[in-house]
Amino acid sequence: MKAATDAYLATVPPDKKARSDAYFEGGYWLQLWDFLFAAAVAILLVQSRISARIRDWAVRISSWRGVQDLLYFIVFLMITTVIQFPLVVYEGYIREHKYGLATQTFGPWMRDQLVSLAVGAILGGIAVMGMYWVVRRLGKNWWVWGAAASIVFQASIVLIAPVYIAPLFNTFNKLQDPKIKDPILSMARAHGIPATEVYEVDASRQSTRVSAYVTGFLGTQRIVLNDNLLKRCTPEEIQSVMGHEMGHYVLHHVYKDLLFFCVLAVVGFAFLNWGMRWSLARWGERWGTHEITDVAALPLAVLLFAIFFLVLTPVTNSWIRMQEYEADIFGLDAARQPDGEALVDLKLGDYRKLDPSPIEEMIFFDHPSGRTRITAAMRWKAENMAVLPPGTRLGGPQ
Ligand SMILES: [Zn+2]
């Protein structure tokens, strides 16, 4: 099992492995720089009283608190977007091109950025207005209701994203090729999934990455394969990916994620409530903002949430990674393509470190590493060889 796994990992040329490691490890540092930069911007906004001045301006424009909150948020979003723009260009454009993962020229990339900004302005505007409405009406226990409101909001986004947000960036088509589609739908029926369609997305517009996912819930749930996967993978490899995605579906991962989010939201809002009260009591005078109900303290809320999620990175990553591992195991049983699985895992090594240390995997990986996944596939193969008819050969490097 170990030998078979090592044999697969050894097929990756050393220079390619070094590049993938460098890309992925660079991502660890970027998470830290992103946090530090966002924290610096938030502190600058409150400390310089720019935040208080934006609020005063919004108060002069409208006497309605909801409109004041919205105006404040739009200005806040514009300022932070402009300040963080160079970092975003480096991270999302220059670096992606350097590692050969991006396919867009600057114009279309920028267009996608502007569309994201517009989506963020609309959804963020609704969230901020709604949240401050809750905070003002519910007083001391606002954070419990804030958590509840954020769960409803999150669930609505999961519901509408596949239908209304994702198509702003890519085109989705129903998969046509019967050679690919028929075995997949047969596998779906065998596992009690009432799917009649599989969707294909033109991810090659943005990137060379191979990927697939399950998204949406209630009526909008769907399995989506990206065109890079369809172009670069054999039918066996595609079946192994579909087995994995069906695992997410059958094991109800979208619903479990929402439950996990409920826990995060309640703990996060409790921390936010405590952190806001503590900071405003200490520095409110200097910042020109004293109350949690004052929108001028929004950068502080953003900072506290950023701290919360940074500290919880290993927890959130591990939650997702454990589900991904479950989906892998399900997929091996469903697709019965352990070598297809191993070969896809190597392709995912384009952008994910293949062979990290266990601690590194625990902290930074939101999917199992190549080594973990190939080991599971080879274990499945070894255990199943015993029950296959004599003379059956499964492919792969020997
Ligand atoms: Zn997955």
Side-chain angles (χ1 to χ4, degrees):
M1 201 172 83
K2 172 135 189 347
T5 305
D6 288 339
Y8 265 118
L9 290 171
T11 60
V12 180
D15 60 320
K16 223 181 142 190
K17 183 170 180 297
R19 201 165 70 145
S20 146
D21 289 359
Y23 175 76
F24 201 76
E25 287 164 15
Y28 306 162
W29 289 103
L30 278 180
Q31 287 173 41
L32 182 65
W33 299 135
D34 285 346
F35 167 76
L36 290 176
F37 201 70
V41 172
I43 292 168
L44 173 82
L45 285 176
V46 285
Q47 187 75 14
S48 65
R49 283 188 175 238
I50 291 174
S51 182
R53 265 179 260 154
I54 301 169
R55 176 207 53 211
D56 294 344
W57 164 82
V59 169
R60 281 198 299 276
I61 302 256
S62 170
S63 58
W64 194 50
R65 296 281 307 254
V67 176
Q68 293 169 10
D69 297 341
L70 182 63
L71 287 172
Y72 175 94
F73 170 71
I74 298 295
V75 175
F76 170 78
L77 183 66
M78 294 306 148
I79 293 176
T80 49
T81 302
V82 169
I83 298 181
Q84 294 182 349
F85 186 66
L87 188 60
V88 171
V89 172
Y90 169 71
E91 212 166 302
Y93 186 78
I94 299 173
R95 186 167 179 269
E96 292 294 302
H97 273 280
K98 190 176 137 202
Y99 285 98
L101 295 169
T103 53
Q104 275 176 315
T105 52
F106 193 75
W109 180 81
M110 196 60 212
R111 178 255 169 214
D112 281 0
Q113 295 300 307
L114 291 173
V115 174
S116 309
L117 182 64
V119 171
I122 294 167
L123 294 178
I126 294 170
V128 165
M129 284 173 81
M131 203 50 80
Y132 278 99
W133 188 87
V134 168
V135 175
R136 284 192 195 110
R137 260 155 206 77
L138 296 165
K140 230 173 118 206
N141 292 325
W142 71 273
W143 61 275
V144 180
W145 295 103
S150 78
I151 293 157
V152 173
F153 189 71
Q154 175 74 14
S156 324
I157 291 185
V158 175
L159 184 68
I160 64 165
V163 184
Y164 294 104
I165 301 177
L168 297 173
F169 301 95
N170 290 95
T171 310
F172 292 78
N173 285 310
K174 290 174 179 171
L175 198 61
Q176 301 296 343
D177 185 357
K179 270 218 312 285
I180 305 289
K181 188 178 154 181
D182 291 350
I184 289 173
L185 288 180
S186 164
M187 201 198 304
R189 285 192 297 272
H191 293 90
I193 300 171
T196 50
E197 300 295 346
V198 177
Y199 288 82
E200 174 185 352
V201 58
D202 62 342
S204 60
R205 260 198 74 216
Q206 288 100 353
S207 147
T208 60
R209 291 159 193 246
V210 163
S211 175
Y213 57 90
V214 175
T215 173
F217 81 123
L218 302 176
T220 67
Q221 197 165 39
R222 56 183 63 182
I223 292 175
V224 181
L225 296 177
N226 86 14
D227 58 347
N228 294 319
L229 178 88
L230 293 168
K231 267 181 252 165
R232 289 177 54 194
C233 294
T234 63
E236 291 76 21
E237 292 169 43
I238 294 172
Q239 282 165 36
S240 87
V241 172
M242 284 310 297
H244 170 101
E245 300 307 328
M246 284 176 199
H248 284 310
Y249 202 106
V250 172
L251 301 169
H252 304 300
H253 284 164
V254 172
Y255 298 91
K256 289 175 186 166
D257 277 343
L258 280 173
L259 274 178
F260 179 65
F261 183 82
C262 290
V263 178
L264 277 188
V266 171
V267 180
F269 272 91
F271 171 71
L272 182 69
N273 182 41
W274 169 83
M276 296 278 282
R277 287 187 193 287
W278 186 82
S279 317
L280 291 175
R282 255 178 124 82
W283 297 296
E285 198 64 44
R286 189 189 306 169
W287 294 343
T289 171
H290 305 275
E291 298 290 331
I292 290 181
T293 54
D294 180 4
V295 73
L298 184 65
L300 179 63
V302 171
L303 173 61
L304 288 165
F305 266 132
I307 294 171
F308 179 73
F309 282 106
L310 182 76
V311 170
L312 282 187
T313 303
V315 177
T316 49
N317 277 347
S318 293
W319 169 266
I320 302 168
R321 198 180 59 251
M322 283 174 342
Q323 288 192 334
E324 295 299 333
Y325 186 71
E326 279 178 15
D328 277 357
I329 300 292
F330 184 97
L332 286 166
D333 279 337
R336 286 175 282 196
Q337 299 288 358
D339 292 292
E341 167 73 35
L343 291 167
V344 170
D345 295 336
L346 293 180
K347 291 196 170 86
L348 297 175
D350 287 355
Y351 57 89
R352 188 179 295 128
K353 191 173 177 178
L354 282 167
D355 199 2
S357 75
I359 297 275
E360 195 180 359
E361 185 161 349
M362 204 269 288
I363 297 175
F364 294 110
F365 279 62
D366 65 359
H367 281 65
S369 69
R371 174 173 288 283
T372 304
R373 300 182 108 165
I374 296 173
T375 301
M378 292 303 104
R379 183 178 59 207
W380 188 95
K381 186 174 162 182
E383 298 293 346
N384 278 269
M385 283 298 253
V387 294
L388 289 173
T392 309
R393 256 178 61 97
L394 295 167
Q398 302 293 325

